[in-house]
Amino acid sequence: MKLRTNMTVNGRLYQKGDEIPWYIVYPFFLFHMLMFGGSGFFLAYAEDSPDIVFLYMHGGIAILVYTIFYLVIFGRDQVKWMFINAGLGLLGIYTQMGWLLSLFDRDISDYPIQVHVIPFLYFVLYTFLLHQAVLDITHSRESDIKRRRVEMSYLVILTGGYLMSYFLTK
């Protein structure tokens, strides 16, 4: 992946346009975001959930920081499309979160909409990162044909997962 601005990673300065190996960026962010996203999920949907202000501070600050990193690493256009696709995929996110909650004998409609904001945003950020990782691990960014194939496969798998989670909760 080509860096969109100057950035120091693990003590090494990368210049704008430098290639950063995928194994430097993705394992850290995938693990780190899974931990914060997981804690945000459990905080939001806990029996004795914390005050909504604490939930928004805990998750909101991390989401803001991740978004800034995404802008630096992936660029404005990619991040813009992340949010556009998130808006279009709201139903998919809703079914996935509903399925996850069903694993804990909970229903998504039991919670007010403001509780879903942080877990939904983590879901958007995490699936975006997975998509970028798949493109880089398969070396698909360099070839339009390969990138289209990988993106189509990604969409088919994701849509299949959404449909499966929808029917599993019904």
Side-chain angles (χ1 to χ4, degrees):
M1 100 187 53
K2 287 188 187 278
L3 197 60
R4 303 300 192 260
T5 186
N6 297 343
M7 184 178 193
T8 301
V9 180
N10 292 334
R12 178 176 173 210
L13 176 65
Y14 288 90
Q15 301 292 328
K16 179 179 178 176
D18 283 353
E19 286 283 333
I20 298 181
W22 66 266
Y23 54 83
I24 289 178
V25 175
Y26 294 115
F28 170 78
F29 275 111
L30 287 168
F31 178 76
H32 195 270
M33 196 175 298
L34 184 62
M35 294 296 101
F36 268 93
S39 66
F41 177 87
F42 286 112
L43 282 171
Y45 300 120
E47 260 324 301
D48 297 321
S49 62
D51 184 59
I52 196 74
V53 173
F54 177 78
L55 180 66
Y56 276 42
M57 292 300 291
H58 175 272
I61 292 170
I63 288 169
L64 176 64
V65 170
Y66 289 134
T67 303
I68 291 167
F69 274 113
Y70 281 15
L71 286 166
V72 169
I73 295 169
F74 302 110
R76 186 175 179 206
D77 283 342
Q78 292 290 326
V79 174
K80 175 185 78 176
W81 277 105
M82 172 183 71
F83 286 113
I84 289 171
N85 288 331
L88 295 173
L90 195 54
L91 180 62
I93 296 169
Y94 186 81
T95 62
Q96 290 285 291
M97 296 304 287
W99 172 75
L100 281 171
L101 284 169
S102 75
L103 297 176
F104 299 96
D105 292 325
R106 304 253 164 81
D107 192 81
I108 197 162
S109 63
D110 293 340
Y111 300 90
I113 194 75
Q114 66 267 21
V115 170
H116 298 301
V117 171
I118 297 300
F120 274 40
L121 286 173
Y122 271 119
F123 192 92
V124 169
L125 291 167
Y126 201 78
T127 55
F128 172 81
L129 193 61
L130 283 173
H131 178 237
Q132 298 302 313
V134 168
L135 289 174
D136 285 331
I137 291 168
T138 60
H139 304 287
S140 300
R141 285 191 199 277
E142 298 81 32
S143 166
D144 285 340
I145 294 169
K146 192 173 184 182
R147 183 180 45 76
R148 279 190 219 119
R149 268 192 228 138
V150 168
E151 286 178 341
M152 187 55 64
S153 300
Y154 184 83
L155 284 173
V156 167
I157 291 167
L158 205 58
T159 303
Y162 287 167
L163 289 171
M164 191 168 64
S165 65
Y166 173 77
F167 289 114
L168 286 172
T169 58
K170 295 299 169 200

